[in-house]
Amino acid sequence: MNQPRAWAFLWLAGLALLPGQPGAADPVKIPYLSTPSAWVWWVSDSLGTPIQGCSWYNRTSYPWTLAVRDVGREKWETLWKGRQEQRVIRRVYDSNHQEIEVDTYRNHEVFEVRTYDPTSHHLTGYTEYRQGHETLKHELIWEGNRLKGQKVLTPGGRFLYEDTLSYAPDGRLRRLVRRALDGVILGYTVWTNGQTGRVADGELFQGRSIQRIVLGKTLLETDTDASGQTQEKIWTDTPQGQTETSTVNGQQSVKDYDSSGRLIRETTTLADKTKLVKTWTYDQEGRLTVQAQQVNDLLDEIKTEWTPTGKIVTTWKDGVLQSRSVWVGGDLEKEEQYLQGTKIWEKLWKNGRTVATLFYWDGNLVRTLKDSP
C-alpha cells in the first residue's frame, strides 16, 4: 500500500497513451496493402513489438505479425493476428526525425490522433474519433516536465471541462480536480499517505464515494457506488507480509501477500463455504514455480522448472500430467500433450514456428509430419 490503488491512475495512464492534438489535420488514408512485398514483415507479439523478421509469403505461419513501411517522413505499422488486421498506426516525423504525430486506425477508420512536441517529446494533445468522426479534443497542460492537467473540448471547440493535477513536495500525485466552465467542481480525487506510506484519505467522484481509515496496521476501505452497493476491503499487515480482505454481495475474497509484496494465496468463499483456493509458489530467486487452483476437490496446477538455458512448464489435473513444454530462453522448443498421463502428440518448434509434429499410441511413435520450410 505504498501508492494509491492501481485503478486510480487509469486516467493518467490514458494520457500517456492516447492520441493527437486539437486542430490536427484530417488523418491520411491507409496505403493499400495489395503489394505485401513492399512492406517489411516481422514476427511480433500482441502489442506489435517486432521480434524477428519473416517473409511476407510466410506471414500467416505465425500467430502475430507486424508489417512496416516507410513513406517519406511517415512510417506505417500494421498489426495482424493471422489473416485478421488488428490495427494500423501512422507515425509522422519532422526533418530531424523527431516524432510529431501518431495516428491509430481500427477497421480502416481513424480512432485516435496524437501530437507531440519534438523538442520536449511531451504529448501535447489528442483527438478521439468514432466511425471516422471527431468526438472529443484534449489539450494537455505541462509545467516543465510535470503534467498539470488537460482541457477537454467538443469537435467544434466548445469547452466541456478541465482536469487539474497537483503534487506533494516529494513529487507524488496529491489531487485531481475536474471543473466545469463556470468553475463548479464536477468531481475530485485525493491521495494522502499516512505514516506507513499507505493511502489514508477519501475520495468522491460523480455519486461514488470511498472512505479510507487507518487503524494502526489495518486499513479499512468502504466503496459505495451511486446505486448504494457497498464493497468493503481491509488491508492488514502480518508477520509474513499483508492480507487483503474484500467483501461484496456476500462473497468474500482473502488475498495473502508475502514480505516482497507477491501474491501467495487467494481464497474465495460464499455463504461461509470455500469455493475457490489459488496458491502461488516461488523459488529463492523470486521466480514463479507452482501456480495451483482448487475448486472443491478438483486441483489444477501449472509447474515451472527453471533450467540453465530456459524453463520446462507442465500442467497437471488432480496429479495427472496434461501437457509439457520446453523453452530455451524465450523461445518454445518442444510442446507435448498427454491423455490420462500418456503422451499422444509432440510438436517441435524452431524460430517461432512448428517444424514437425509427432503422434504416439500407447507411448509409441506411430506417425511424423514435417512442416514445409
Side-chain angles (χ1 to χ4, degrees), residues 152-290:
V152 181
L153 306 95
T154 66
R158 181 173 63 85
F159 181 92
L160 291 178
Y161 59 85
E162 180 177 17
D163 292 328
T164 303
L165 305 179
S166 57
Y167 299 82
D170 60 5
R172 286 184 290 188
L173 182 62
R174 177 68 178 89
R175 178 186 295 267
L176 184 155
V177 180
R178 176 166 294 183
R179 291 184 175 89
L181 178 62
D182 57 4
V184 173
I185 295 179
L186 302 175
Y188 67 88
T189 303
V190 179
W191 297 278
T192 301
N193 292 277
Q195 295 180 352
T196 61
R198 297 184 302 186
V199 176
D201 209 341
E203 59 192 59
L204 173 66
F205 198 84
Q206 294 182 340
R208 177 169 176 252
S209 65
I210 296 180
Q211 295 296 325
R212 297 184 177 97
I213 303 174
V214 175
L215 302 173
K217 295 183 178 181
T218 299
L219 171 63
L220 172 64
E221 175 182 285
T222 303
D223 184 345
T224 304
D225 62 20
S227 67
Q229 179 171 302
T230 297
Q231 179 179 8
E232 185 177 270
K233 289 185 178 181
I234 301 175
W235 288 272
T236 302
D237 290 340
T238 66
Q240 294 75 30
Q242 191 177 71
T243 296
E244 174 188 330
T245 303
S246 175
T247 305
V248 59
N249 293 334
Q251 178 169 294
Q252 184 181 78
S253 173
V254 179
K255 296 180 179 179
D256 296 318
Y257 299 85
D258 63 15
S259 58
S260 298
R262 298 173 304 197
L263 181 62
I264 57 176
R265 183 181 177 89
E266 179 180 0
T267 304
T268 302
T269 59
L270 181 64
D272 295 329
K273 294 183 179 181
T274 300
K275 307 295 290 185
L276 174 66
V277 178
K278 296 180 180 180
T279 58
W280 293 262
T281 305
Y282 306 86
D283 62 15
Q284 293 182 349
E285 298 182 26
R287 299 174 300 191
L288 182 64
T289 56
V290 181

Side-chain angles (χ1 to χ4, degrees), residues 73-197:
R73 293 180 181 174
E74 298 178 0
K75 181 178 180 180
W76 291 84
E77 301 173 358
T78 308
L79 179 64
W80 297 79
K81 183 178 182 181
R83 297 181 181 273
Q84 184 68 37
E85 180 187 282
Q86 299 298 305
R87 72 158 191 262
V88 178
I89 292 181
R90 168 181 175 258
R91 304 182 187 276
V92 183
Y93 301 88
D94 64 10
S95 57
N96 296 319
H97 202 68
Q98 299 297 320
E99 194 172 66
I100 57 176
E101 183 178 328
V102 177
D103 304 345
T104 301
Y105 297 76
R106 294 180 182 173
N107 298 323
H108 289 206
E109 290 184 340
V110 64
F111 182 76
E112 301 171 341
V113 174
R114 325 173 230 181
T115 55
Y116 295 85
D117 183 330
T119 302
S120 65
H121 307 293
H122 289 156
L123 176 66
T124 57
Y126 62 92
T127 302
E128 299 179 50
Y129 292 80
R130 293 297 180 271
Q131 298 181 343
H133 299 286
E134 291 185 14
T135 56
L136 285 179
K137 295 183 177 182
H138 302 251
E139 295 178 351
L140 273 61
I141 305 167
W142 293 83
E143 186 177 276
N145 289 322
R146 176 170 288 179
L147 180 64
K148 296 296 292 183
Q150 68 163 346
K151 292 182 179 180
V152 181
L153 306 95
T154 66
R158 181 173 63 85
F159 181 92
L160 291 178
Y161 59 85
E162 180 177 17
D163 292 328
T164 303
L165 305 179
S166 57
Y167 299 82
D170 60 5
R172 286 184 290 188
L173 182 62
R174 177 68 178 89
R175 178 186 295 267
L176 184 155
V177 180
R178 176 166 294 183
R179 291 184 175 89
L181 178 62
D182 57 4
V184 173
I185 295 179
L186 302 175
Y188 67 88
T189 303
V190 179
W191 297 278
T192 301
N193 292 277
Q195 295 180 352
T196 61

